[in-house]
Amino acid sequence: MWDNQELIKGQIGRATISKHTSLYNIKNNKLATAKKVLKGQTYRVYSYSGKYGGICRVSKDLYAQKSSSIKYEIAPIDKIQVLGITVTKKSLASNISYPQASGLFNQSFEASFNRKFFNIAKQTQQANKELREQEKKDVKTVG
């Protein structure tokens, strides 16, 4: 939940109508009035584009144009990402495992997250190898 509204997968924010205004369709690369909306109505926002002075997609073919008649809010990232994140356990060796995430809203963050934990696992694997080699040398020296 985000305040009194349920967040759904794919939603990135919400648009609250602060003055009577219109929502639009895109026809022939132009905004065309699709319907009039009243003050107080709220719509889920699924994407944003800088085209046409800034538009938010509020349904499959319906857009809210950026204006003083609409208050746009970005949903809290922590709430968005809870809507479908999967974390799996991967292994490099029988004793080295690391997390890998999928389903995050921010794909570049997901890639960075996964790369970071993979690299930590690789570093751990290398450190373990070096420790085993040092242990063998130490046993020979002492023995």
Side-chain angles (χ1 to χ4, degrees):
M1 293 297 291
W2 176 25
D3 296 334
N4 62 347
Q5 185 183 52
E6 181 181 5
L7 278 169
I8 63 172
K9 190 167 185 162
Q11 181 180 352
I12 64 167
R14 66 180 166 211
T16 303
I17 309 304
S18 55
K19 297 179 195 169
H20 296 356
T21 191
S22 297
L23 295 180
Y24 302 91
N25 295 119
I26 298 174
K27 294 184 179 177
N28 299 322
N29 287 324
K30 293 183 181 180
L31 291 179
T33 301
K35 71 187 244 182
K36 300 286 183 183
V37 291
L38 304 175
K39 178 180 177 178
Q41 292 179 289
T42 302
Y43 293 86
R44 289 183 173 99
V45 173
Y46 300 99
S47 65
Y48 176 82
S49 170
K51 290 183 177 181
Y52 311 105
I55 56 172
C56 301
R57 186 171 60 84
V58 297
S59 72
K60 182 179 178 197
D61 297 316
L62 202 57
Y63 297 86
Q65 186 176 32
K66 184 178 174 183
S67 74
S68 61
S69 300
I70 299 173
K71 178 184 174 190
Y72 174 70
E73 299 171 273
I74 297 171
I77 295 298
D78 61 324
K79 292 186 181 290
I80 290 173
Q81 292 182 336
V82 169
L83 295 173
I85 297 175
T86 303
V87 178
T88 55
K89 182 178 172 182
K90 300 281 184 167
S91 296
L92 282 180
S94 60
N95 61 344
I96 300 172
S97 59
Y98 59 98
Q100 291 288 274
S102 61
L104 273 72
F105 176 72
N106 185 327
Q107 294 293 307
S108 62
F109 175 79
E110 179 180 304
S112 173
F113 174 91
N114 289 337
R115 207 173 23 258
K116 178 173 271 185
F117 280 96
F118 174 75
N119 288 337
I120 290 169
K122 290 290 280 183
Q123 291 168 358
T124 302
Q125 184 181 43
Q126 182 62 33
N128 282 349
K129 180 181 175 187
E130 290 170 7
L131 283 171
R132 283 191 304 274
E133 289 170 1
Q134 185 62 46
E135 184 179 31
K136 287 178 187 177
K137 288 178 185 176
D138 291 345
V139 167
K140 287 180 183 177
T141 303
V142 173

